[in-house]
Amino acid sequence: TVKLTIDNIPVEVEAGTTILKAAEKAGIHIPTLCYLEGINEIGACRVCVVEVEGARNLMASCVAPVADGMVVKTSSPRVRMARRLNVELLLSNHKMECPTCIRNLNCELQSLAQELGIRQVRFEGRKSEYPIDDSTPALIREPDKCILCRRCVAVCEKVQGVRAIAPMGRGFDTIIAPAFQDKLLNIACVECGQCTLVCPVGALYEKDYTSEVWAALADPEKFVVVQTAPATRVSIGQEFGLPPGSINTGQMVAALRRLGFDRVFDTDFTADLTIMEEGSEFIERFTKGGPLPLITSCSPGWIKFMEHFYPEFIPNVSTCKSPQQMFGAVAKTYYAQKAGIDPARMVVVSIMPCTAKKFECQRPEMTDSGYRDVDYVLTTRELARMIREAGIDFNSLPEEQYDDPLGESTGAAVIFGATGGVMEAALRTAYELITGKALPALDFHDVRGLTGIKEATVDIEGTKVRVAVAHSLGHARQLLERVKAGEQYHFIEIMCCPGGCIGGGGQPIPTNTAIREQRIKGIYQADVEMPLRKSHENPSVQALYREFLGKPLSEKSHHLLHTHYTS
Ligand code: HC0
Ligand code: SF4
């Protein structure tokens, strides 16, 4: 170990620890901006500088390692002046639209200026002028607000393995952009939004559809139906100051009703439906010779990634639409008929933890109901904005119930929101459908948690079923390479975002590893609290088959609930 003092406090840490980490251990906060633990540790912004006795220059504490006997000062006059100067320089070339910026009050640059006591910017700099890129259905890139921290670049490359954006040009002309400064729409960006989660400012963010939804809600001709994704119930509370991972399903339902939605339904209903279809597809392929492995299809960022980078896996990917899209198709057919509503008047809105869902709902093939199956997708962040704008006091809302029948769901559906959940839900059902026996233990711990790639072998009456689960596209890539190298699996779950949907690109900011862990806890807690925990036991899904679809993989199911992919 190494002994040093930081602000006169003796600290002992492992050799190789950075000064930043050592200070954290001693309870000393050093401000950072470009730093993202384990992902972007490049010392570029120089906000985290510290003074080290005997050293001529200030050191970027996020990259400088500790040394024995080091004497560090983290807030000497020289340090504070340097930090201010660095942030002022950033501000001098920043499009300062704070009151109207999407990140107002949740902007790291703004907080930092406040924390460092900056009251004026002494430099009148040249300002960059770049066009805004709003070419995709999901994202906005506003380079004039970019501070070149490179966190987005690091996440896109190291976590997602996509490399859609990179720094280009030099000095003042540096810009973070797709190659040749093309539009995001024209490149292999999968619209996952992970870059929007780590952007410290308003340079990358979701395309906002709240105006369209407000307009639909205000239109007496429209019948506006909303569905909520599994992972939103354990994250929305964070927007209202509640601890990460707290379960606020009932308050979310109440808030949606107060906003004026005509029916408040749950994507969890169609998550259960997905298990019926995908579980049957698995059994069919398993007993009739493949193609295997079957790979899950519910994560649209993953699907886009597969279409760009691994089209050879198209025959392996389940033909099931995602639960969000199944919901739209069922709402505008079965439910519209049942409730006597003209589907032409129906507007389906989704509340999703995801930006790629905005892209998914606009895919041209997603119109099997005869209309656009899902009209608008709002992220968790956008829903929170609507709740605030409507003046609803979220924390004092009563817990309300979803409407019937598309609001009924099981614990198997809620765990879709965490990595490994779709696999676990599928196993709970496949086991019982194949064996005709009750599952002895419902929890499949091997497929839970934040390990990048998880594997398990499940014994279904003597047949060993090999499964694997990957979350984040970087891990998906690794797993697919294993499969290409000859590794044999029967069933694979892939979710685009780290941690699964609880870590989706539309979730509250910040979303980091600690917060992901809390949300995962919330998800499994919500599962145990459900009276029913297996998808095939959902009475409303059973009724849907009885009254409308017939059986899983029926012709009607195929028409409404399944899709195809293009390379
Ligand atoms: Fe997910 Fe989904 S679980 S992708 O993560 O399958 O976004 O939460 O809504 O569609 O159900 C996201 C979350 C969903 C879908 C479901 C799946
Ligand atoms: Fe990369 Fe995802 Fe951002 Fe696209 S949305 S630039 S793929 S991180």
Side-chain angles (χ1 to χ4, degrees):
T1 61
V2 171
K3 289 181 182 171
L4 68 159
T5 70
I6 307 179
D7 298 345
N8 300 319
I9 299 171
V11 195
E12 196 173 333
V13 289
E14 297 284 309
T17 307
T18 60
I19 297 176
L20 179 71
K21 279 277 153 195
E24 196 180 292
K25 198 180 166 200
I28 298 164
H29 165 73
I30 297 175
T32 57
L33 186 55
C34 69
Y35 175 76
L36 206 57
E37 191 173 351
I39 297 168
N40 201 43
E41 303 185 356
I42 57 173
C45 72
R46 298 195 57 83
V47 162
C48 68
V49 287
V50 295
E51 190 169 350
V52 175
E53 216 172 79
R56 253 173 80 151
N57 297 324
L58 298 178
M59 291 184 184
S61 64
C62 72
V63 287
V66 294
D68 231 355
M70 217 179 214
V71 176
V72 180
K73 297 234 158 30
T74 74
S75 64
S76 64
R78 205 177 143 209
V79 165
R80 282 186 286 114
M81 273 194 16
R83 282 186 192 149
R84 274 194 191 184
L85 179 70
N86 293 335
V87 172
E88 278 183 73
L89 286 170
L90 288 175
L91 291 170
S92 74
N93 179 26
H94 190 69
K95 191 173 172 193
M96 285 207 264
E97 295 179 335
C98 305
T100 53
C101 179
I102 196 151
R103 293 293 296 274
N104 186 30
L105 304 181
N106 189 10
C107 166
E108 290 184 43
L109 185 61
Q110 199 179 45
S111 317
L112 201 55
Q114 199 53 248
E115 185 182 335
L116 302 183
I118 295 172
R119 290 284 161 265
Q120 57 166 26
V121 177
R122 288 167 288 173
F123 316 101
E124 189 61 61
R126 224 173 98 209
K127 302 234 182 202
S128 320
E129 277 183 55
Y130 295 105
I132 289 177
D133 177 1
D134 61 356
S135 57
T136 73
L139 299 168
I140 313 269
R141 246 186 77 240
E142 206 175 330
D144 290 353
K145 292 203 180 138
C146 175
I147 57 167
L148 304 177
C149 69
R150 291 162 171 72
R151 285 171 19 171
C152 55
V153 177
V155 160
C156 189
E157 177 183 337
K158 294 189 197 161
V159 177
Q160 296 300 57
V162 174
R163 297 178 189 228
I165 46 178
M168 250 150 269
R170 290 172 159 269
F172 180 81
D173 293 319
T174 311
I175 178 175
I176 309 292
F180 308 110
Q181 295 195 35
D182 201 345
K183 290 185 188 314
L184 283 175
L185 185 69
N186 302 331
I187 61 159
C189 165
V190 303
E191 303 182 33
C192 68
Q194 284 301 308
C195 50
T196 71
L197 284 183
V198 298
C199 181
V201 294
L204 279 162
Y205 53 93
E206 66 283 2
K207 191 176 268 185
D208 184 297
Y209 291 84
T210 55
S211 319
E212 286 82 349
V213 175
W214 283 122
L217 289 171
D219 183 344
E221 290 303 305
K222 302 285 187 211
F223 189 86
V224 192
V225 164
V226 67
Q227 58 167 323
T228 63
T232 52
R233 65 208 69 207
V234 296
S235 63
I236 182 82
Q238 189 181 326
E239 287 278 345
F240 301 98
L242 297 170
S246 56
I247 308 168
N248 298 108
T249 319
Q251 285 93 341
M252 180 168 68
V253 171
L256 289 164
R257 231 171 244 135
R258 279 155 184 70
L259 285 171
F261 288 97
D262 294 297
R263 291 290 181 278
V264 182
F265 289 141
D266 202 352
T267 314
D268 289 24
F269 170 83
T270 34
D272 281 332
L273 182 63
T274 300
I275 290 300
M276 297 308 293
E277 293 293 321
E278 196 163 338
S280 307
E281 189 182 8
F282 176 69
I283 295 167
E284 175 99 8
R285 291 195 193 199
F286 191 73
T287 52
K288 299 202 180 131
L292 291 171
L294 177 67
I295 310 181
T296 58
S297 58
C298 35
S299 167
W302 146 242
I303 291 300
K304 196 165 192 286
F305 177 85
M306 183 274 301
E307 291 176 326
H308 284 300
F309 299 104
Y310 288 94
E312 63 272 33
F313 281 99
I314 286 179
N316 294 87
V317 176
S318 163
T319 59
C320 286
K321 288 182 185 171
S322 73
Q324 125 147 327
Q325 292 305 137
M326 285 195 188
F327 181 92
V330 169
K332 290 194 179 179
T333 55
Y334 171 70
Y335 182 72
Q337 275 173 35
K338 212 174 152 77
I341 297 153
D342 175 3
R345 295 207 298 127
M346 194 186 275
V347 176
V348 172
V349 176
S350 310
I351 310 299
M352 293 281 144
C354 178
T355 51
K357 291 276 172 199
K358 293 174 187 278
F359 154 77
E360 181 183 53
C361 84
Q362 295 187 18
R363 289 180 67 122
E365 64 275 18
M366 295 296 174
T367 52
D368 291 322
S369 63
Y371 305 88
R372 180 144 298 290
D373 295 337
V374 171
D375 296 280
Y376 304 113
V377 172
L378 303 180
T379 59
T380 317
R381 301 196 287 265
E382 289 161 271
L383 172 60
R385 267 175 233 144
M386 288 184 75
I387 294 172
R388 278 192 287 267
E389 194 178 341
I392 295 166
D393 179 6
F394 188 82
N395 294 339
S396 62
L397 287 172
E399 293 188 36
E400 291 181 9
Q401 302 287 324
Y402 285 102
D403 290 309
D404 277 333
L406 308 189
E408 181 150 40
S409 69
T410 72
V414 74
I415 61 174
F416 267 58
T419 165
V422 179
M423 179 61 70
E424 181 166 343
L427 290 173
R428 287 181 192 175
T429 285
Y431 182 94
E432 299 205 351
L433 295 189
I434 293 172
T435 65
K437 290 183 191 155
L439 195 59
L442 247 48
D443 298 352
F444 290 85
H445 289 281
D446 291 349
V447 296
R448 297 184 180 185
L450 284 177
T451 308
I453 298 175
K454 294 164 280 186
E455 297 186 11
T457 305
V458 183
D459 193 324
I460 301 187
E461 285 207 314
T463 308
K464 303 242 182 284
V465 178
R466 280 205 78 201
V467 305
V469 172
H471 60 113
S472 86
L473 297 172
H475 291 128
R477 208 183 256 285
Q478 286 172 23
L479 179 57
L480 295 175
E481 290 302 327
R482 279 191 208 171
V483 174
K484 282 169 77 167
E487 195 81 41
Q488 307 242 332
Y489 301 100
H490 298 105
F491 199 175
I492 290 178
E493 174 200 300
I494 294 179
M495 282 288 174
C496 168
C497 291
C501 291
I502 53 93
Q507 291 284 49
I509 296 171
T511 287
N512 53 37
T513 306
I515 290 175
R516 285 184 166 96
E517 277 165 357
Q518 291 305 314
R519 292 184 191 148
I520 289 176
K521 262 197 205 146
I523 284 277
Y524 289 107
Q525 183 56 33
D527 168 28
V528 231
E529 286 172 9
M530 295 295 276
L532 296 173
R533 295 182 59 201
K534 300 169 208 161
S535 297
H536 54 285
E537 293 177 346
N538 181 326
S540 298
V541 168
Q542 290 168 351
L544 169 65
Y545 278 114
R546 221 172 30 242
E547 296 168 12
F548 188 68
L549 293 171
K551 58 181 192 342
L553 307 182
S554 70
E555 211 184 301
K556 211 161 191 171
S557 298
H558 265 292
H559 171 62
L560 286 175
L561 311 179
H562 291 255
T563 185
H564 58 272
Y565 309 102
T566 38
S567 53

